[in-house]
Amino acid sequence: MSNDREAILGRVRQALAPLPTRAAAPDWERELVLMRHARGAVDAPALFAERLRLVNGTPIASVEELVALFVSSGWRRGYCDPALAARLRPAFPAEIVFETEFDRTRVDDYQFGITAAVGAIAETGTVILNDAATSRRLAALAPWVHVAVVPRRSIHVDLPEAVAALGGDPNIIWCTGPSKTADVEGILIEGVHGPGVQIALLVD
Amino acid sequence: MKFQQIDEYAARLRPETKASVHSGSKAGHEKRTKVLFDHFIDPDRLRRIAGDIKQHVVENLDTYLPAVEAKLRANGVHVHWAATAEAANEAVYSILQARGARRMVKAKTMVSEETELGRFLEKRGVECVETDLGEFIVQIDGDHPSHIVKPIIHKNRREIATSFERHGLGAYNDDPETITRRARVHLRHKYLEADVGLTGANFVVAESGRIVLVTNEGNSRFCLAATKCHIAMVGIEKILPRDRDLGLLLNLLARSGTGQQLTVYTEFISGPRGPAQPDGPEEMHVVFVDNGRTDVLASECRDILRCIRCGACLNVCPVYRQASGHAYRSVYPGPVGAVLSPLLAGERFPAMADLPKASSLCGACNEVCPVNIPIPDLLLRLREKGKREGSDAAAAGTPAMGGWAVMASQPFAWKAALAGGRIMNVLPTKYVPVAALQAWQSRRTLPTWRGGTFRTWLHDRRKQQSQAGSAAPRN
């Protein structure tokens, strides 16, 4: 394998040696990727909610509203990040069961997963999860319903801003609406491997 | 005259396949155009700058490759190098052996299609499951993907339902939602049982050592949430210089590929899982694959290495829409494939040299390319190479030009041919002994012949002008 390394790098150098000059790295201004609607002052939480709806996600502004949705949808059992459970549990009726451990051998028993997001992107309706903030990767992915708890102050306006804030976590994932496919005849179907319902609960 | 292989394939294509490919690619192209121009004031400028960034990377791979390797190692990632397809498969297999792994789940990666990794591992007793819905269907059918981002664009729901039934995934049901739910149920247990998750990479950032993966279904995320070891197979050209360049490239990739603003999942991986995270790989490997790319780099067509595999050039191409992806006889179909496949074929170049001719050079592929690759120019260079190397495939479908060359270089022969050509003005089309001309003319009428020849007309006109000039009054 180390021979392959030397062989590849040697061939790369040989291939590039005849070039009289090398193309320079161009710089570009953030202005270039600003979307038309995002010019001027932006209310990030409002834009985030609007954009999340466009990708069939569900923005929710208060815990009461979340409880009402759970009750009306019949979601009874799921996972909740232990730190969030302490805060959210009292608002939920007793028949809705929060488990604070995620047992991967019972993956189909969890109708929902409630985990913390580290941020969001307004212009795309994206929630941002990472290894430090999100207690279980599986709990945010395998259940049919995922609730990401997003602090309002953590919402970035656009992609360049979110890229600049990536930071040092080894695994960051941007989730933009429910999991989906159009592989069969181009027909959109939601909930392929990940959640079929993606909720963002905005908190202060 | 012999037809090109791609024409012969297109002529044999079933009408329903042709219809699926045509409508799927047309819809993809229309969505792309709408979303780019609705969202941005100057999308063409985005494409040009993105192209310049990737060209910079291609021309500086000698510094970027060691730099990205050092960064990955510093992040705790094991780095492997593979000069050939076999070496790449062996590298993956040896990682599996070291872990005693027997089960692998795999997200969609085009480079693993190049190396035929799945078949290689199955032969060695490793279960290797494709998890992207389209790739999963391709796998259970023993088929090949026919599009870079929509692998089963050539299949309809009835064929898929039949495959599912044959594979024991329930009784025949061709409802797309039922098909998707059955795949969900079947595959989630495959993830949870697997020892290793394998993915490709859409970008690798030199500055940070981040691997960026984009998917819609969440399958690569599931691979990285359920397994303990992550292997990423990466073509050596996938590098971006800085994190901030992602702000540009990610804005272009999904819009160009599927007309989405952003794919549902965009994952940034810079190493094994974080210390507080119970799920995900504790070990991560990156296998850098050459497999012919350094030959492309040494060629006049190195610009094709900018490609970010969005599939926009397939969707817009009139030839692809008629012929579908399998007509290109290689992993990469469409305009990008017509350039890349013959180059990656190495010694088999002459056999693939017809592909650069499968184009009318209309230029649409260049206009939609998010990294502005001058595909028509590259096709012309490859046509010349095919001709120079005396490839039979390159000559198929080309009329012999020897007679034309003699005629056009001898004034006497040229004038005689022109005089002969005038017969066309009076000879009814049905008596013309050229099939192609008859076909062309059978539905068209020539304008009425008004007499004279261009040369005579020009000569007379010059004469008149010089007379008029000398007769003009002077001040």
Side-chain angles (χ1 to χ4, degrees), chain A residues 50-68:
Chain A
E50 177 200 320
R51 291 277 150 175
L52 180 56
R53 276 189 208 101
L54 282 182
V55 290
N56 290 348
T58 313
I60 287 196
S62 69
V63 178
E64 294 71 40
E65 206 186 314
L66 182 70
V67 173

Side-chain angles (χ1 to χ4, degrees), chain A residues 74-156:
Chain A
W75 300 326
R76 289 300 187 80
R77 174 178 287 272
Y79 168 87
C80 185
D81 174 338
L84 291 171
R87 197 166 133 198
L88 298 175
R89 176 69 266 181
F92 280 78
E95 65 266 24
I96 296 178
V97 178
F98 279 15
E99 292 190 31
T100 53
E101 293 287 326
F102 190 88
D103 178 358
R104 54 188 275 156
T105 63
R106 296 191 291 111
V107 67
D108 293 323
D109 292 351
Y110 302 89
Q111 287 174 297
F112 59 85
I114 304 174
T115 65
V118 70
I121 311 172
E123 70 168 10
T124 51
T126 302
V127 297
I128 306 174
L129 316 180
N130 70 14
D131 268 5
T134 302
S135 51
R136 295 287 309 246
R137 290 189 195 183
L138 273 175
L141 183 71
W144 183 253
V145 181
H146 176 227
V147 181
V149 180
V150 181
R152 283 192 176 84
R153 62 173 194 291
S154 71
I155 303 176
H156 306 291

Side-chain angles (χ1 to χ4, degrees), chain B residues 99-221:
Chain B
R99 293 186 63 88
R102 307 306 301 169
R103 293 192 181 97
M104 188 172 96
V105 277
K106 187 172 165 298
K108 181 170 157 46
T109 105
M110 293 308 290
V111 65
S112 74
E113 293 289 336
E114 280 177 46
T115 69
E116 301 196 356
L117 175 71
R119 287 182 185 83
F120 176 94
L121 292 178
E122 294 281 357
K123 272 188 209 152
R124 282 154 186 79
V126 178
E127 185 190 58
C128 175
V129 181
E130 295 284 352
T131 56
D132 173 86
L133 179 59
E135 294 281 343
F136 174 70
I137 292 162
V138 160
Q139 187 181 37
I140 64 177
D141 281 354
D143 197 357
H144 291 278
S146 78
H147 189 289
I148 296 173
V149 298
K150 302 170 198 158
I152 52 164
I153 191 171
H154 61 292
K155 289 183 197 287
N156 61 39
R157 63 175 84 184
R158 294 177 298 284
E159 295 166 288
I160 298 164
T162 309
S163 305
F164 266 49
E165 188 178 24
R166 200 183 49 236
H167 197 70
L169 292 165
Y172 180 95
N173 188 324
D174 63 14
D175 167 38
E177 184 150 4
T178 307
I179 290 171
T180 309
R181 292 290 165 268
R182 286 176 176 179
R184 177 184 173 96
V185 170
H186 177 74
L187 288 170
R188 58 180 40 215
H189 295 286
K190 294 291 179 189
Y191 297 114
L192 292 165
E193 289 162 6
D195 307 299
V196 172
L198 184 128
T199 69
N202 293 91
F203 305 105
V204 184
V205 183
E207 172 188 59
S208 58
R210 282 184 218 282
I211 301 249
V212 184
L213 281 176
V214 307
T215 71
N216 274 320
E217 298 181 3
N219 57 317
S220 68
R221 176 61 168 180

